[in-house]
């Protein structure tokens, strides 16, 4: 089926036949007739100019042109290359037909003819091949308009056009040649290649093979590097497309041109005292390229890890850290977006790379006498900046540096994590009092606990309770410090006030769920990591205090509440890297910075600092601690206390009782006591185990009730069964939605095939009418007395009929095969929907009923 008839079938189905008699249709049809059949060259040129004008201004004209105009203009481009004016007109008209016309008052759901035209033209590989051949023409406007047409096709139908260009010999080569053309054409070709190389690995490899790296860096240098305009941005976007998740292209860049041309874009002149928006975007795009190189390739690529390490090593060898420190720390003129991006690059550059860590630790900043280590400068940003984004980015550097922040507590958390020796050493640190009159020096751990208490009374600039993130961060530090460190637990419990405050904090309803939960974890660590045998500080005493002051049920409930909180439930791994496009770069460059005061009055636990601090690793660590705490509490409740306060009277020897009778009585008494103790311990352990398993599901109670154990076990079993059933229902609903989606897709495809079959039937009927007409002419000729010509006419008629019948039968057979395949798929999907309880007949009701309407109208017209 040719391009025009297919479009008529689509338009007829969408719009019906009401538009066929419109003035725009008639006008466009007359112009196309003059272009196709005109005798005078000037008249044909005038007609194509008028056609371009009306198509550029009217959606109806665009629609009419799409129905019948493409074959006419493609014929002009193919057969009349010598008539430059006609070729210009044809290309301009195609550009207008593919460019959407915006009408502010038009309905939002109105069909866009330009998009339909784009879809139609992109389906014809011969048309794409013809357009690519025009790029070799010498005329400037021919090449320029052709690139605009290809860009419009790529914008709306990227996958289809990518496949078409790949199938055309030297298709990509012709596009790459345009990068060496005049500036206007070069820029248009650059924009086209950025669209073409998005998520197309085969095209990326061919483009690189055609010398893309050399040409891109040459254009960047010619345009002025980071000081250049939007052309530099387009070059960097193309470069990022070529390197994104493509380890082989990264290796090729590293081993051919090297990273020097890329790093030179980040080099700032010392006299630079201004950053334009475009310069900011160019620097962000370059930092994006650095990030892609540090990722090493796609997750599935086996050489990703080795490539990542090599890229990081080479980048540091090329002095990249110096430029990043200039952008992120030293330059007072860099925008907040550039500073944050540069700091994140520094953090990623040293992550899991000991050599790069050593290089960063040796870096110094400043001039002459004002020199200081680079890490000190970054630490100053963490402690003093008023920018939330800059704090998080600088904290990222220290987090990665200390693992292979928010303030000093966050930094100290990174230092103490999984470092027992460091924990013990920091325990001995004493801090001088702010004033001598305030007393003797104070241990660092005790000072931190005091700060924890002070943080609850902190106010924001309006005098309201604020800075809700300070307590959780200090609690995170304490949880990390006390983990697997009995010395720190002993130091914490040396002050009785610490335990009292912690018990109150867990019970304080005005505290956030996160604060109460972390305080509960800290209490649990005082039990599980407690090696003290001193009365009042041992684990059993702490457990008794929890039961008396909070209640075991209420205490365990704090863990469940924390796990359901926003911070813990929303903790996710690092997001997949997204390409930095024009629109995304512009939005990043215009980022509005936030300060602590701006966010200090947030009541919810979605503060950006907290989201950054409570990462996936810490959440997993807390969850593992929770399990350990529950198990140890059960163990404590399952064993007797070490001391017996009162000696029972039965243990004393009675007057006149012989030693033999006394020993016999003692044995009976001890046996009875042992039996009772074992029964009590068993019941106690069962209750504690039930509470731990149910997560403390219930109200706070000071005592445990023996009779509730079996009920809670049964409730837990029912709850788990309900949870499994809910998961099964969700899975079935998802499967049902998927099957319904596939069914809808196949139904739409079947409708399209029916439409194509209808068009084929119309064509067949037209041929029958032609045959009938020829038979009438034969009869007329016979009756007119010219028998000598009859055999020739009969032969022509028979030959035409046979040829038409063969062609129609072949196409009809193909369509019937397709319809049979689709019918089989629909039957399978219908059976599956029936299994899921759906009414298949109701879903299929009305589909295809309106397909015969146009045919009835045509028969009435005949």
């Amino acid at each position: 089926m040719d391009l025009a008839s297919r479009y008529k079938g689509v338009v007829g189905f969408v719009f019906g036949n009401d538009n066929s008699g419109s003035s725009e249709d008639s006008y466009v049809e007359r112009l196309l007739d003059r272009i196709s059949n005109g005798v005078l060259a000037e008249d044909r040129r005038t007609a194509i100019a008028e056609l371009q004008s009306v198509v550029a201004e009217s959606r109806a004209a665009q629609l009419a042109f799409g129905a019948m105009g493409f074959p006419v203009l493609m014929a002009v481009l193919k057969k009349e290359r010598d008539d430059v004016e006609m070729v210009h007109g044809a290309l301009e008209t195609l550009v207008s037909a593919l460019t959407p016309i915006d009408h502010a008052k038009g309905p939002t759901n109105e069909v866009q003819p330009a998009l339909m035209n784009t879809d139609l033209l992109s389906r014809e590989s011969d048309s794409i091949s013809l357009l690519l051949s025009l790029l070799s023409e010498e005329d400037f406007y021919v090449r320029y308009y052709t690139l605009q047409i290809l860009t419009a096709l790529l914008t709306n139908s990227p996958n289809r056009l990518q496949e078409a260009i790949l199938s055309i010999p030297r298709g990509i080569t012709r596009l790459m040649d345009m990068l060496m053309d005049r500036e206007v054409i070069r820029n248009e070709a650059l924009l086209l290649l950025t669209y073409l190389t998005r998520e197309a690995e085969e095209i990326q490899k061919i483009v690189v093979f055609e010398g893309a790296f050399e040409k891109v860096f040459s254009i960047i240098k010619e345009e002025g590097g980071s000081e250049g305009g939007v052309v530099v941005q387009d070059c960097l976007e193309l470069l990022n497309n070529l390197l994104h998740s493509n380890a082989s292209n990264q290796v090729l860049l590293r081993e051919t041109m090297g990273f020097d041309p890329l790093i030179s874009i980040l080099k700032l002149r010392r006299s630079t005292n201004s950053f334009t928006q475009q310069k900011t975007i160019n620097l962000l795009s370059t930092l994006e390229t650095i990030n892609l190189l540090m990722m090493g390739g796609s997750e599935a690529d086996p050489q990703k890890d080795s490539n990542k390490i090599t890229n990081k090593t080479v980048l540091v060898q090329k002095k990249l850290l110096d430029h990043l420190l200039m952008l992120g720390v030293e330059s007072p003129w860099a925008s907040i977006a550039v500073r944050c991006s540069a700091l994140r690059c520094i953090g990623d550059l040293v992550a899991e790379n000991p050599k790069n860590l050593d290089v960063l630790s040796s870096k110094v900043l400043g001039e002459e006498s004002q020199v200081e280590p680079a890490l000190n400068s970054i630490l100053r940003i963490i402690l003093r900046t008023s920018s939330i984004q800059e704090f998080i980015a600088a904290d990222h550097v220290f987090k990665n540096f200390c693992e292979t922040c928010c303030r000093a507590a966050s930094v100290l958390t990174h230092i103490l994590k999984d470092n027992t020796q460091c924990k013990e050493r920091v325990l001995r640190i004493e801090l001088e009092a702010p004033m001598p009159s305030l007393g003797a020096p104070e241990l660092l751990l005790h000072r931190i606990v005091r700060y924890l208490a002070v943080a609850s009374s902190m106010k924001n600039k309006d005098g309201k309770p604020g800075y809700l993130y300070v307590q959780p961060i200090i609690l995170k530090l304490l949880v990390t410090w006390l983990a697997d460190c009995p010395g720190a637990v002993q130091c914490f419990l040396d002050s009785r006030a610490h335990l009292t405050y912690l018990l109150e904090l867990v019970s304080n309803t005005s505290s956030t769920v996160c604060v109460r939960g972390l305080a509960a974890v800290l209490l649990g660590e005082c039990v599980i990591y407690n090696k003290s045998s001193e009365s009042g500080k041992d684990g059993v005493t702490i457990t008794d205090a929890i039961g008396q002051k909070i209640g075991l049920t209420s205490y365990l409930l704090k863990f469940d509440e924390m796990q359901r909180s926003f911070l813990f439930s929303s903790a996710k791994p690092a997001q997949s890297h997204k390409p930095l496009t024009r629109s995304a770069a512009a939005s990043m460059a215009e980022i509005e910075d936030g300060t602590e005061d701006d966010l200090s009055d947030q009541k919810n636990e979605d503060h950006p600092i907290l989201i950054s601090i409570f990462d996936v690793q810490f959440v997993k660590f807390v969850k593992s601690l929770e399990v350990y705490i529950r198990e140890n509490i059960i163990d404590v409740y399952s064993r007797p206390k070490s001391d017996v306060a009162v000696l029972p009277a039965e243990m004393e020897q009675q007057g006149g009782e012989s030693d033999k009778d006394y020993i016999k009585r003692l044995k009976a008494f001890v046996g009875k006591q042992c039996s009772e103790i074992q029964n009590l311990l068993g019941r106690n352990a069962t209750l504690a185990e039930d509470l731990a398993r149910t997560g403390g599901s219930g109200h706070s109670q000071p005592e445990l009730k023996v009779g509730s154990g079996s009920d809670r076990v049964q409730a837990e079993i029912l709850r788990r069964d309900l949870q499994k059933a809910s998961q099964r229902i969700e899975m079935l609903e998802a499967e049902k939605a998927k099957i319904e989606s596939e069914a809808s897709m196949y139904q739409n495809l079947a409708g399209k095939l029916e439409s194509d079959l209808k068009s084929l039937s119309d064509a067949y009927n037209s041929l029958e009418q032609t045959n009938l007409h020829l038979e009438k002419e034969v009869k007329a000729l016979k009756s007119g007395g010219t028998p000598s010509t009859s055999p020739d006419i009969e032969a022509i008629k028979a030959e035409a009929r046979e040829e038409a019948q063969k062609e129609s039968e072949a196409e009809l057979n193909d369509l019937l095969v397709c319809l049979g395949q689709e019918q089989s798929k629909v039957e399978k999907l219908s059976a599956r929907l029936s299994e899921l309880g759906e009414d298949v007949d109701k879903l299929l009701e009305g589909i295809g009923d309106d397909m015969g309407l146009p045919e009835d109208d045509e028969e009435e017209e005949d």
Side-chain angles (χ1 to χ4, degrees):
M1 186 181 300
D2 64 9
L3 181 146
S5 60
R6 177 186 297 161
Y7 190 91
K8 287 179 180 177
V10 175
V11 173
F13 178 71
V14 175
F15 295 98
N17 292 328
D18 294 338
N19 293 332
S20 61
S22 66
S23 58
E24 288 87 352
D25 286 6
S26 301
Y27 185 46
V28 169
E29 187 173 5
R30 288 197 302 271
L31 291 175
L32 289 171
D33 183 67
R34 287 168 58 188
I35 296 169
S36 180
N37 301 320
V39 178
L40 299 177
E42 192 61 34
D43 179 62
R44 297 177 68 236
R45 292 168 186 158
T46 302
I48 206 168
E50 294 177 5
L51 179 63
Q52 188 276 329
S53 178
V54 70
V55 169
E57 297 174 357
S58 169
R59 288 185 177 181
Q62 283 185 335
L63 191 63
F65 173 81
M68 51 188 143
F70 281 116
V72 175
L73 294 193
M74 287 300 165
V76 172
L77 296 177
K78 186 175 182 180
K79 300 176 181 178
E80 302 184 40
R81 293 278 185 95
D82 295 336
D83 193 336
V84 178
E85 188 173 348
M86 284 292 291
V87 173
H88 284 182
L91 292 172
E92 284 187 82
T93 304
L94 288 175
V95 172
S96 299
L98 303 178
T99 304
I101 300 174
D102 295 327
H103 291 310
K105 297 183 180 180
T108 56
N109 60 345
E110 184 177 353
V111 175
Q112 291 286 348
L115 300 182
M116 296 180 67
N117 290 344
T118 301
D119 180 74
L120 181 64
L121 184 58
S122 63
R123 294 176 182 273
E124 301 296 326
S125 58
D126 292 341
S127 300
I128 305 302
S129 178
L130 177 59
L131 290 171
L132 287 175
S133 68
L134 292 174
L135 294 177
S136 59
E137 292 291 322
E138 295 182 359
D139 185 81
F140 168 82
Y141 288 102
V142 171
R143 301 196 304 277
Y144 178 69
Y145 290 139
T146 301
L147 287 173
Q148 285 190 322
I149 293 170
L150 291 172
T151 301
L153 293 174
L154 266 174
T155 303
N156 298 315
S157 302
N159 295 334
R160 193 177 296 146
L161 199 65
Q162 286 171 346
E163 294 174 1
I165 292 178
L166 271 176
S167 65
I168 298 172
R170 300 193 73 253
I172 297 177
T173 303
R174 291 172 182 170
L175 293 176
M176 291 297 298
D177 292 341
M178 296 295 100
L179 291 180
M180 309 307 294
D181 209 315
R182 294 166 59 177
E183 183 176 346
V184 176
I185 292 181
R186 179 203 69 187
N187 296 346
E188 196 70 31
L190 190 60
L191 189 61
L192 173 64
L193 286 168
T194 61
Y195 288 117
L196 187 63
T197 53
R198 285 178 186 169
E199 299 180 0
E201 186 175 354
E202 290 301 319
I203 294 180
Q204 292 170 3
K205 291 179 180 179
I206 298 174
V207 168
V208 168
F209 182 77
E210 293 289 341
F213 290 144
E214 293 82 356
K215 294 174 182 177
V216 164
F217 284 116
S218 175
I219 296 173
I220 292 175
K221 184 177 180 181
E222 182 182 335
E223 292 291 323
S226 64
E227 304 287 344
V230 71
V231 175
V232 174
Q233 179 185 347
D234 290 338
C235 285
L236 290 169
E237 185 175 344
L238 173 58
L239 181 63
N240 291 342
N241 289 347
L242 299 178
L243 298 177
H244 182 69
S245 301
N246 197 319
S248 61
N249 283 355
Q250 293 182 13
V251 172
L252 188 61
L253 173 62
R254 185 178 69 233
E255 296 181 354
T256 54
M257 296 194 67
F259 296 152
D260 291 313
L262 176 65
I263 297 176
S264 65
I265 303 174
L266 298 175
K267 186 175 182 180
L268 298 180
R269 295 188 295 269
R270 290 284 178 178
S271 59
T272 300
N273 57 4
S274 65
F275 275 71
T276 63
Q277 183 186 34
Q278 187 59 55
K279 181 174 181 178
T280 297
I281 292 175
N282 292 343
L283 288 172
L284 288 174
S285 299
T286 308
L287 293 171
E288 168 78 2
T289 310
I290 300 295
N291 276 325
L292 293 174
L293 291 173
M294 290 189 292
M295 291 170 64
S298 65
E299 293 294 334
D301 197 323
Q303 61 176 329
K304 173 191 173 183
D305 292 336
S306 61
N307 190 45
K308 176 170 63 175
I309 294 173
T310 304
N311 285 348
K312 286 184 177 182
T313 302
V314 174
L315 286 169
V316 171
Q317 290 174 352
K318 298 295 183 180
K319 310 298 182 184
L320 174 63
L321 270 176
D322 294 338
H323 301 295
L324 294 177
L325 289 169
M326 171 61 71
L327 287 172
V329 181
E330 291 187 282
S331 175
W333 309 106
S335 67
I336 182 66
V338 171
R339 295 204 307 270
C340 292
S341 184
L343 285 170
R344 284 193 293 269
C345 279
I346 294 174
D348 292 336
L349 202 59
V350 301
E352 302 176 358
N353 195 309
K355 292 183 179 179
N356 290 355
L357 285 173
D358 293 339
V359 175
L360 176 60
S361 62
S362 66
K363 291 291 182 183
V364 293
L365 304 180
E367 298 178 354
E368 299 177 357
S369 61
Q370 299 180 345
V371 173
E372 71 171 354
L375 285 173
N376 284 13
S377 300
I378 299 175
L379 180 62
R380 186 180 296 109
I381 293 175
I382 295 177
L383 298 177
R384 298 183 181 179
T385 182
S386 61
S387 164
I388 297 298
Q389 291 90 342
E390 191 171 20
F391 159 70
I392 293 174
D395 176 77
H396 179 67
V397 177
F398 261 91
K399 177 182 178 182
N400 287 341
F401 186 88
C402 295
E403 283 186 348
T404 29
C405 180
C406 289
R407 312 306 175 208
S410 182
V411 176
L412 188 56
T413 302
H414 297 321
I415 295 173
L416 296 179
K417 181 182 178 184
D418 300 329
N419 194 327
T420 304
Q421 183 180 1
C422 189
K423 290 178 182 179
E424 297 287 349
R425 184 174 181 180
V426 176
L427 279 177
R428 298 191 291 271
I429 296 177
E430 293 185 346
L431 300 179
E432 295 290 336
M435 297 175 61
S437 60
L438 295 180
E442 185 179 23
L443 288 173
L444 174 61
L445 180 60
H446 292 190
R447 177 74 63 86
I448 290 173
V449 177
R450 186 152 59 86
Y451 286 161
L452 176 64
V454 172
S456 62
S457 60
M458 293 178 66
K459 309 291 184 182
N460 61 15
K461 61 183 179 181
D462 298 326
K464 300 177 181 178
Y467 301 100
L468 299 180
Y469 57 85
V470 177
Q471 276 193 311
I473 290 175
I474 296 177
L475 284 169
K476 177 185 178 182
L477 167 61
L478 292 173
V479 168
T480 304
W481 197 342
L482 268 62
D484 202 19
C485 185
V489 173
Q490 182 65 36
C491 181
F492 179 84
L493 295 175
D494 281 343
S495 173
R496 180 67 183 177
H498 292 172
L499 179 60
T500 302
Y501 172 71
L502 204 55
L503 291 167
E504 293 175 354
L505 190 59
V506 174
S507 305
N508 190 353
T509 56
S510 63
S511 299
T512 64
V513 171
C514 183
V515 168
R516 295 197 299 268
L518 290 177
V521 172
L522 195 58
L523 265 178
E525 288 182 322
C526 292
V527 175
I528 63 178
Y529 298 120
N530 193 322
K531 305 300 182 183
S532 175
S533 58
E534 184 179 350
S535 176
K537 296 182 181 179
D538 61 305
V540 175
T541 303
I542 305 301
T543 305
D544 286 343
I546 292 173
Q548 294 170 7
K549 300 293 185 181
I550 305 173
L552 185 58
T553 304
S554 178
Y555 172 73
L556 295 175
L557 186 62
K558 300 298 184 290
F559 293 116
D560 295 329
E561 292 174 349
M562 180 175 61
Q563 297 294 354
R564 293 193 299 267
S565 68
F566 174 82
L567 281 174
F568 279 72
S569 62
S570 63
K572 298 177 180 177
Q575 298 295 318
S576 58
H577 211 72
K578 296 182 178 180
L580 190 65
T581 60
R582 274 195 181 188
S583 58
S587 62
M588 281 191 65
E590 296 174 358
I591 184 174
E592 294 183 4
D593 187 30
T595 64
E596 292 180 6
D597 288 337
D598 296 333
L599 299 172
S600 62
D601 58 349
Q602 283 190 228
K603 293 291 187 288
N604 297 327
E605 296 184 348
D606 57 351
H607 195 288
I609 290 181
L610 289 177
I611 295 174
S612 171
I613 297 302
F614 289 87
D615 52 18
V616 176
Q617 290 79 10
F618 181 69
V619 170
K620 289 182 178 178
F621 170 67
V622 170
K623 288 181 178 180
S624 64
L625 269 180
E626 178 193 343
V627 175
Y628 194 24
I629 291 170
R630 289 179 185 271
E631 291 176 350
N632 275 266
I633 286 179
I634 294 173
D635 182 62
V636 170
Y637 272 89
S638 302
R639 67 173 186 263
K641 295 184 179 179
S642 58
D643 297 331
V644 180
V646 180
L647 185 67
E650 291 83 351
M651 299 293 292
E652 298 179 358
Q653 187 173 7
Q654 298 175 359
E657 187 178 20
S658 65
D659 292 341
K660 183 177 180 181
D661 293 338
Y662 177 56
I663 293 172
K664 185 177 180 180
R665 185 169 58 83
L666 283 180
K667 287 182 178 179
F669 175 77
V670 170
K672 179 181 177 182
Q673 289 290 92
C674 287
S675 177
E676 291 178 355
I677 289 172
Q678 291 300 323
N679 290 335
L680 289 174
L681 288 177
R683 290 162 63 187
N684 207 7
T686 300
L687 290 173
E689 188 172 339
D690 289 344
L691 282 174
R693 187 164 54 243
T694 59
S697 57
H699 299 289
S700 176
Q701 297 177 356
E703 299 178 355
L704 296 173
K705 295 184 178 180
V706 176
S708 62
S710 60
D711 293 339
R712 287 178 179 169
V713 172
Q714 185 66 23
E716 175 64 12
I717 294 174
L718 292 175
R719 186 187 66 80
R720 291 181 180 178
D721 291 342
L722 179 60
Q723 184 178 8
K724 290 180 180 179
S726 299
Q727 293 174 349
R728 175 63 178 169
I729 290 172
E730 291 177 359
M731 182 180 68
L732 290 174
E733 288 179 348
E735 185 178 355
K736 171 187 171 184
K738 179 181 178 182
I739 292 175
E740 288 179 348
S741 175
E742 292 179 356
S744 177
M745 179 186 69
Y746 287 123
Q747 289 165 4
N748 293 336
L749 183 59
K752 179 180 178 299
L753 291 173
E754 287 182 12
S755 177
D756 290 344
L757 183 60
K758 171 64 170 56
S759 299
L760 180 62
S761 177
D762 291 343
Y764 187 81
N765 291 336
S766 177
L767 288 173
E768 289 291 338
Q769 293 294 331
T770 302
N771 286 339
L772 183 60
H773 181 68
L774 290 173
E775 288 177 356
K776 290 180 179 180
E777 288 184 356
V778 170
K779 292 180 180 179
L781 290 172
K782 286 181 177 180
S783 62
T786 56
S788 59
T789 60
S790 296
D792 295 335
I793 292 174
E794 288 293 339
I796 293 172
K797 183 185 70 173
E799 183 180 354
R801 180 181 302 168
E802 181 179 357
E803 183 178 353
Q805 186 173 358
K806 288 181 179 180
E807 181 179 355
S808 300
E809 288 179 353
E811 294 189 10
L812 183 59
N813 288 335
D814 292 340
L815 283 173
L816 289 175
V817 170
C818 294
L819 283 173
Q821 294 174 347
E822 298 307 318
Q823 181 63 30
S824 176
K825 295 178 181 178
V826 169
E827 289 175 356
K828 291 181 181 179
L829 289 172
S830 298
R832 184 57 179 156
L833 285 172
S834 298
E835 292 176 6
L836 295 173
E838 291 293 329
D839 189 343
V840 179
D841 294 333
K842 186 175 180 181
L843 288 175
L844 298 177
E845 184 177 351
I847 296 179
D849 292 348
D850 55 347
M851 299 305 296
L853 294 178
E855 181 179 4
D856 296 339
D857 294 342
E858 292 177 4
E859 291 176 359
E860 291 178 4
E861 290 176 5
D862 292 341

